[in-house]
Amino acid sequence: MQASACQCQQPEGCTPNWGQLTCAETTKLLSSTIEAIGDTPLVELTRLARGRAGRLLVKLEYLNPGFSKKDRIARQIIEDAEADGTLAPGQTVVELTSGNTGTGLAIVCAVKGYPFVAVMSKGNSPERARMMRALGAEVVLVEQLPGSQPGQVSGGDLELVEQTARRIVVERGAFRADQFHHRGNFRAHYLHTGPEILRQAGTSVDAFCDFVGTGGTFAGCSAALKEANLKRNVTLSSQPARPCWPVSRLRTRITASRAAGTR
Ligand SMILES: Cc1ncc(COP(=O)(O)O)c(C=O)c1O
């Protein structure tokens, strides 16, 4: 990659930076991995949009430390719970997860010193379980219903995981992160992801498209973008959809993807 002259106005001797970043950003020393969450790049897909009106922008959320946008909600839920006193220092954190939220929580909890228990169906990805364990989490795997297929987690399987998660919360006096109901899920995207998109795009956004699980990203980003004149949002439902977060009253189209029910 070609280095360009730095725009940061630092005294002489500053290292040239890449692309649009100032050297202050490229050389910023972070105090923990938590600070590396968010501020992901927004990329314009110029070839895909060639010959069409408008611009197509994608946010590279896999560049978060835990490889998904769920790191954002892990940080927000934990920090909101610290702030309102529902999470005490050193208290165990429990979450039902198929992997991504658990990975984010494993990172945030490890840095902040909370024991973390991820409760997951045996039908979910074994690699995810290994990754969470490697990050310091305790992973409790729950058997699937008789006749279930690994890789295909049914509503019945999830009910068993839910029961186990509830039991562990009671037994350990734990804090349940509860991405389906905790406001930190919505707030992570309303306070950060949406405003980042606006800042990076440098303009308002006409349409927003997202895969929906809990609906936290969709609702939070839509609310932030709507304040800057979003006209339309589109959701692709990738999970056995039970979104909990209110979808905005914008023109909304919900499309069930082929993967529906298989994650
Ligand atoms: C990679 C990825 N994309 C999208 C989603 C859905 O996001 P949300 O729960 O904010 O609707 C999930 C949820 O688990 C996910 O892990």
Side-chain angles (χ1 to χ4, degrees):
M1 190 185 291
Q2 184 76 38
S4 60
C6 184
Q7 310 293 312
C8 78
Q9 318 279 326
Q10 296 290 311
E12 262 186 83
C14 125
T15 320
N17 68 82
W18 290 337
Q20 300 294 313
L21 292 177
T22 66
C23 69
E25 285 168 309
T26 53
T27 59
K28 195 166 65 172
L29 180 65
L30 305 178
S31 67
S32 80
T33 311
I34 295 176
E35 284 190 33
I37 295 172
D39 277 327
T40 51
L42 189 73
V43 176
E44 180 169 358
L45 302 182
T46 45
R47 283 179 297 140
L48 270 184
R50 195 176 290 150
R52 296 171 200 279
R55 295 190 297 159
L56 191 54
L57 310 174
V58 293
K59 194 110 169 92
L60 305 191
E61 288 300 288
Y62 64 89
L63 292 178
N64 280 298
F67 312 117
S68 90
K69 61 184 178 178
K70 292 294 184 175
D71 291 2
R72 295 173 180 270
I73 72 163
R75 177 184 59 189
Q76 194 74 44
I77 290 173
I78 295 299
E79 293 188 348
D80 283 0
E82 286 174 333
D84 67 19
T86 45
L87 176 60
Q91 190 178 3
T92 297
V93 174
V94 172
E95 182 62 328
L96 178 162
T97 178
S98 61
N100 284 336
T101 303
T103 302
L105 282 167
I107 292 169
V108 173
C109 289
V111 171
K112 288 177 171 279
Y114 300 104
F116 172 55
V117 184
V119 190
M120 202 172 134
S121 169
K122 268 199 175 166
N124 289 129
S125 146
E127 291 78 16
R128 279 315 183 126
R130 277 206 292 275
M131 180 147 91
M132 288 189 280
R133 285 193 179 113
L135 288 165
E138 176 183 339
V139 180
V140 175
L141 293 177
V142 180
E143 291 290 347
Q144 291 184 270
L145 287 168
S148 298
Q149 302 230 353
Q152 299 201 353
V153 178
S154 67
D157 293 328
L158 275 180
E159 190 44 47
L160 295 179
V161 183
E162 173 65 32
Q163 285 168 17
T164 307
R166 286 194 185 159
R167 178 176 51 75
I168 294 172
V169 167
V170 173
E171 283 172 2
R172 309 215 189 165
F175 167 76
R176 171 90 182 256
D178 203 358
Q179 61 173 323
F180 278 91
H181 299 103
H182 197 285
R183 248 191 108 61
N185 183 353
F186 170 90
R187 277 165 49 77
H189 301 292
Y190 176 68
L191 296 175
H192 300 288
T193 323
E196 277 173 34
I197 293 171
L198 288 168
R199 211 167 43 241
Q200 292 167 310
T203 173
S204 62
V205 174
D206 294 326
F208 174 69
C209 177
D210 191 23
F211 283 96
V212 163
T214 64
T217 317
F218 187 68
C221 287
S222 297
L225 299 176
K226 190 178 168 190
E227 287 172 11
N229 286 332
L230 178 73
K231 297 193 186 87
R232 181 174 193 191
N233 47 13
V234 178
T235 148
L236 303 173
S237 175
S238 66
Q239 302 191 328
R242 45 172 182 139
C244 289
W245 297 99
V247 289
S248 79
R249 287 190 207 95
L250 294 162
R251 273 206 301 155
T252 299
R253 188 149 53 91
I254 300 193
T255 314
S257 80
R258 279 202 208 132
T262 60
R263 286 180 46 177

